[in-house]
Amino acid sequence: MATLIGNPFIKAFFIIFLVSAATATGDAPFIIAHKKASLNRLKSGAERVSVSVDIYNQGFTAAYDLSLIDNSWPQDAFDIVNGNTSHSWQKLDAGGHLSHSFELEAKSKGMFHGAPAVIYFRIPTKAVQQEAYSTPILPLDILGERPPEKKFEWVSFVWTNSNQQSSYS
């Protein structure tokens, strides 16, 4: 836990979050986006990456003409299997939540460091398009060596009738 708090990236994220939260008290949308990715190993020796981006409007007014663009997946390293790396919505109400997901298949082995996704949106009182960034993903070890997982852990249960007690071994 001490290494998490001592990490300069975590400190910077919390500082940016606190400053952003303090400035979000105005009469405008405040977009927060969380990007996450998980690896799914296929039996054929291939690996798929499931990506989802959750977008929240923590402000006091709606955001309009939202566009999510995630260009952090190079075409020479990944094929799109399901969905798209971009998506658009007309409106995100205050306090609302949107989600988008897609799936990729890795073409090569190695570490991958993904950049944040970009969310563009409009505020009715401003003509200039606004921009927000999602959280970056943790580095992914594509087709890396992993120890086998223990899926089941056996627990034996013994019931003794003589003294009406149970014991676990």
Side-chain angles (χ1 to χ4, degrees), residues 63-66 88-92 98:
Y64 295 92
D65 301 327
L66 289 99
S88 297
W89 298 272
Q90 294 235 326
K91 180 180 177 182
L92 177 57
L98 297 170

Side-chain angles (χ1 to χ4, degrees), residues 148-168:
E149 295 179 16
K150 259 189 175 179
K151 295 198 179 202
F152 300 105
E153 192 170 310
W154 294 98
V155 176
S156 62
F157 180 75
V158 178
W159 181 267
T160 57
N161 279 336
S162 61
N163 56 7
Q164 297 297 319
Q165 294 179 350
S166 62
S167 63
Y168 290 96

Side-chain angles (χ1 to χ4, degrees), residues 118-141:
V118 182
I119 297 94
Y120 297 101
F121 62 98
R122 294 201 184 279
I123 300 173
T125 58
K126 293 185 179 180
V128 179
Q129 191 175 36
Q130 305 296 307
E131 200 172 281
Y133 295 92
S134 73
T135 56
I137 59 170
L138 294 173
L140 298 173
D141 189 7

